[in-house]
Amino acid sequence: MNKLRRTVDKIKPHFQKGGKFAKLESTFGAFETMLFVPNHTTKSGAHIRDAMDMKRTMVVVIFALVPSLLFGIYNTGYQHFLAIGESAEFWSVVWYGLLKVVPIVIVSYVVGLAIEFIFAQIRGHEVNEGFLVSGFLIPLIMPADVPLWMVAVATAFAVIIGKEVFGGTGMNILNPALTARAFLFFAYPAWMSGDKVWVGGMVDGQTLDAFSGATPLAQAAAGNTSFSLGNGAGIDTIDMIIGTIPGSIGETSKIAILIGAAILLITRVGSLRIMLSMLAGGVTMGLLLNTFAANPFMEIPWWEHLLIGSFLFGMVFMATDPVTASQTAKGKIIYGFLIGFLAILIRVLNPAYPEGTMLAILLMNVFAPLIDHYVVQGNIKKRMKRLKTT
Amino acid sequence: MGKPIKVRRGLNIPLKGKAEKQIIDLSPGKLYALKPTDFHGIRPKVVAKPGTEVKVGTSIYYDKFHPEVQFCSPVSGVVKELVRGEKRKLLEIIIETDGKQIQETHEIHDYQTADSVDLIKTLLQTGFWQMITQRPYGVIPNPESTPDFVFVSTFDTAPLAPDYGFVLENMQEELKVGLDILHKISGKEIHLGLNAKADNTLFENLPHTITNTFEGPHPTGNVGTQINAIRPINKGEIYWTINIQNLAMIGRLFLKKSIDFSRAVSFVGSELNQTGYIKVLPGQSVKEIIDGKLVQDNVRVISGNPLTGKAIEKEGYLSFQENQITILPEGDYYEFFGWLIPGLKKFSLSRTYFSWLMPGRKYRLDTNYHGGERAYVVTGEYEKVCPLDIYPQQLIKACMTEDIDKMEQLGIYEVIEEDMALCEFVCTSKTEVQSILRESLDMLRKEMS
C-alpha cells in the first residue's frame, strides 16, 4: 500500500498545475481518489464528518444492482436456448449470457465515462461518481438483442443532453439511464418493443420459426392474459417472481430486485417513502382498473401488475434516484404515488406504449420540482402566518 | 414542570473521551490572548498598545460600531504584542500575566438596588456584556435594544459536552443573581430549557423563569432547538440567549463584586491520557494546558465541541466563551480503498458501514473529510438531524444563490451555525454548511442595517 502511495505521490506533480499533463488533472484525480480516500482535513465548521461520501453511496447502489445483473446474464442465455429449441448446460447458458450482456455493460461505461471525464476536465471539476450507477443501469434496462452502437448512441445522448447540459451530476432533471432508454424507444421503436428483441439471437433469425419472444406485458396488451413462453409453455406466477421470462436484461427477476431493495433500504441509501408510495400508487390503479374492467388487460389482478414489465425495477432503482426525485419528505410520497398510479394507467390504457413505468418516472421527474415547490411553500406560508398574527 | 417536549430528529455522535467527573489541577498559564475573531460583526479598535500595563477588567479594545462594548483583559500584566493576519486584520492581542490578578476599579453596582441602565453599564465596562448572544445573526446584542424573548438552555447535548449540573454544582446563588440581572435588563421572564434525563435540582425554583423540559438527541440541548419548539423567531424580532455558565459568571460578578473570568470547561477527546474538567481563563494559552497530557502528537485542538468549536494551533489560545476543549486525532492520511472497506471503526448516519451492527460503540473520529466535495445528490439527510421546522437543504441552497427573499421565507432568522452543524456533519456531498450560513447571515445583517 505504502509503495503504491509513494508511486502515486511521485507521479502526482506531473498532473498538477505546471506539470507535463496538467490538462489531465481531474482524470488523474478520479483514479487517485478511487485508490485512496484523500488526506483532506476539515478546515472550518464541523471538525468531524460522517464517513459517508459519494463513492460509498454509489458503490452501495451498484452492490444492490449486482443480483439483477447476474440473473439477467443467466436469463439471457436461458431464453436464447429456449428459443433455439436446444437444452444446454448451466455454464453454456451463462456463457451465452455473458457474451451478450458484458459487451453492453462495457460499451455503456466506456462511452459514458469518457464523456464524463471530458466534461470534468473542461470544467476543471473533480469527476463525479454519478455515472457509475447510470452506466450500470443502462444495460439492465436494455433488451438482450440491442445493437451495441445503439447503446453507445443512447448513452452519449443521455449523458450529454440528459445531464451535462444541466451542469452534471446533481443538476439533471431527468434520470439519465431512463433518458437513454427513452431515446432509443422513440428513435428506434422497432428495437425497443415488439416480440423479437427480448430474446438473444432472435433478431438474426437463429431461433425456431414458431418461437415467439413476446413478453408477458406484450401478451397482456394483446389481450392474452394467460401468459406463455415463446415455445408455448405456460408462465406461472413463480416464473415471473424468479424471472425466467423474456424482458429487459435486469428487470425480470423480482427476487433479485427485492434483494437490491433490501440492500438499499437497510443501508438507508434508497428512499423507503418513494418505494412504498409508488407501490401504493400502482396497487390503487390496479384495483381501480379491476373495478371498471372492460377488457382482459384491465381484468388481470392488481398484484400481477407488480410482476410483469419493469414496475418493480423502476420502483426500486429508478424512481428512488435522489437527484431527479422530489427532495422533501412529503414530496417524495406524492411523487412516488403518482409514478405508480400513472405507470399502470399508461401501461393498461395507452395502446401506443407497452410499458408505462419508464414514461411515468420521466414525467414525474419533470414534475418533482413543482411538487417540492408546493411542499416548501406550505412551510413558508406557516411562517408568514406566524409573522402576521404577532 | 409539564410533560417533556420530545425532540425526535437529531443525532448523538458517540465519541471516545468523555469527561470524567473530576477537576484536573492546572498550573496558571503565562500567556493569554484576546481574539476579536471570537465575535461576529465587530470592528476592533485597540486601546492598550504593546507595553501597556493592564489589570483584570482593563479595556483592551472596543467595537468601533458600538464603542460602549469593551473587551477586557482576563488577567493583570503587560500587553505583549498584536498579531495581525491578511490585510492587517487583527487576530490576537497577547498579554503576559504577572500572576497577581490585580483588578481594575470599575463600579460594580449593587444588583438589588441598581436599575437596568446601571447594570448594563457595569456589564459593558467589565467586558461581561458580550456573554449574551443576540438572535438573529448570533451576535453581541446592541446595548440600547431590549429583546422580545430570552432563552437559556441548562444543558448541552453536543458530543463530549460538559455536564452543567457538575460545573455549576456550588453556584446556585450565582445563578439566581444572574437571572435577577438578566430579568432586570431585559424586562422579560427567562425561558429555561431543562433536560428531562438529568437531575435538575440545581435549576429548579430559580427566579423569573418559565421552565420547559426537553428530551431527545443532539441538538436538543441547543437553545436554537428549544426556541424553535417554544416560540420560533419571526422576522424583526430580537431574542437574547446566554450560556448557563456565562449567566452564573455574571451572577458572580455582582454577588462577589469581583471581576473574575474563570470558568470550568470539559477537557475531553480520545487523544488525552486523562479527561475531566479544568478551570481556565478566556484566551489562555493552549500549549500550557495540553503539555504532557496527549497520547500522541498529531492532534486537532478545538476550543469548543467537535461540531462548532474553533480549531486552534497548538501554540494558540482559547476562545472567549467556549465551555469545552476537545482534542481529536488529525485525519491527514490517505486511506486505501476507504470507500469500499467494511468500516467497522467508521461512524455514519447511514448504514453503509458495518459499524451500525454494533450500537453502543464509541468512536475515535478524526478530522478527515472522508471524501471529496460534490454537488448535492442525496436528499433527506439534513432533515433527519435537524429538528427545527425549516427545510435545511432548501435554506442552504438559497444561501448559496444569495437569494435573500428565499432565505427569509425559509426561516434564516431562526438559525445560527450551531443549529445546522449536524447537517454539515452528515452531508454526503461534504458541503460547508456552517460557513455558507455564516456568510449569508453576515450579508443579511449588512443589508438590514
Side-chain angles (χ1 to χ4, degrees), chain B residues 276-289:
Chain B
Y277 291 81
I278 53 177
K279 209 146 199 183
V280 296
L281 286 171
Q284 194 159 342
S285 158
V286 168
K287 200 178 169 195
E288 293 161 5
I289 297 173

Side-chain angles (χ1 to χ4, degrees), chain A residues 3-343:
Chain A
K3 211 169 161 189
L4 184 62
R5 185 63 237 171
R6 275 199 295 276
T7 320
V8 172
D9 283 335
K10 216 161 103 190
I11 58 173
K12 196 171 177 179
H14 294 302
F15 291 93
Q16 285 169 331
K17 232 179 182 172
K20 265 186 278 183
F21 308 108
K23 284 198 172 136
L24 293 173
E25 187 174 356
S26 72
T27 309
F28 177 79
F31 285 109
E32 190 201 349
T33 57
M34 193 183 80
L35 282 175
F36 295 97
V37 173
N39 64 346
H40 301 163
T41 54
T42 50
K43 294 281 175 291
S44 63
H47 298 272
I48 48 175
R49 300 296 170 100
D50 197 293
M52 184 76 165
D53 74 340
M54 205 57 75
K55 284 194 175 63
R56 187 75 174 186
T57 313
M58 296 301 169
V59 89
V60 167
V61 183
I62 289 175
F63 276 133
L65 284 165
V66 165
S68 292
L69 178 78
L70 293 181
F71 189 85
I73 289 171
Y74 170 78
N75 191 43
T76 302
Y78 178 78
Q79 295 297 329
H80 170 75
F81 283 104
L82 214 59
I84 60 172
E86 286 175 20
S87 59
E89 279 177 37
F90 177 77
W91 288 113
S92 39
V93 169
V94 170
W95 183 242
Y96 182 86
L98 280 173
L99 286 182
K100 271 282 173 196
V101 176
V102 172
I104 303 179
V105 177
I106 292 172
V107 168
S108 155
Y109 267 125
V110 169
V111 173
L113 285 178
I115 297 170
E116 285 266 347
F117 274 76
I118 291 167
F119 269 90
Q121 205 61 71
I122 293 169
R123 291 206 179 101
H125 284 180
E126 284 190 54
V127 177
N128 206 307
E129 292 82 2
F131 190 77
L132 294 180
V133 169
S134 304
F136 209 102
L137 279 170
I138 289 172
L140 294 183
I141 52 175
M142 292 289 158
D145 241 10
V146 67
L148 291 177
W149 66 268
M150 276 191 200
V151 179
V153 173
T155 306
F157 178 85
V159 175
I160 296 172
I161 305 294
K163 200 158 90 171
E164 293 301 338
V165 293
F166 292 103
T169 302
M171 316 288 182
N172 48 307
I173 293 170
L174 298 175
N175 183 312
L178 281 181
T179 308
R181 195 177 194 282
F183 173 78
L184 290 183
F185 184 78
F186 290 108
Y188 306 100
W191 287 92
M192 297 305 283
S193 51
D195 295 348
K196 289 198 163 174
V197 293
W198 309 106
V199 176
M202 211 167 165
V203 175
D204 304 337
Q206 299 170 12
T207 52
L208 301 174
D209 286 344
F211 191 88
S212 155
T215 62
L217 186 63
Q219 296 174 29
N224 171 16
T225 53
S226 55
F227 309 128
S228 61
L229 287 170
N231 58 4
I235 296 177
D236 57 21
T237 310
I238 302 292
D239 294 333
M240 290 197 282
I241 290 174
I242 294 172
T244 50
I245 54 173
S248 293
I249 292 167
E251 74 173 24
T252 60
S253 174
K254 309 307 170 302
I255 292 176
I257 293 167
L258 289 176
I259 293 172
I263 293 174
L264 291 183
L265 291 176
I266 289 171
T267 56
R268 298 182 180 163
V269 167
S271 165
L272 178 66
R273 276 195 185 86
I274 294 178
M275 289 191 206
L276 283 186
S277 58
M278 180 169 163
L279 191 68
V283 168
T284 308
M285 192 69 223
L287 286 169
L288 275 177
L289 288 170
N290 286 169
T291 315
F292 301 101
N295 65 34
F297 201 177
M298 290 169 81
E299 274 165 13
I300 69 166
W302 56 270
W303 51 267
E304 220 166 80
H305 277 299
L306 310 177
L307 300 179
I308 61 179
S310 58
F311 187 88
L312 216 56
F313 189 83
M315 178 180 105
V316 174
F317 296 113
M318 296 291 186
T320 51
D321 169 16
V323 175
T324 54
S326 278
Q327 305 187 348
T328 55
K330 271 183 214 160
K332 279 174 182 159
I333 293 172
I334 301 168
Y335 164 87
F337 186 87
L338 287 176
I339 290 178
F341 195 81
L342 289 173

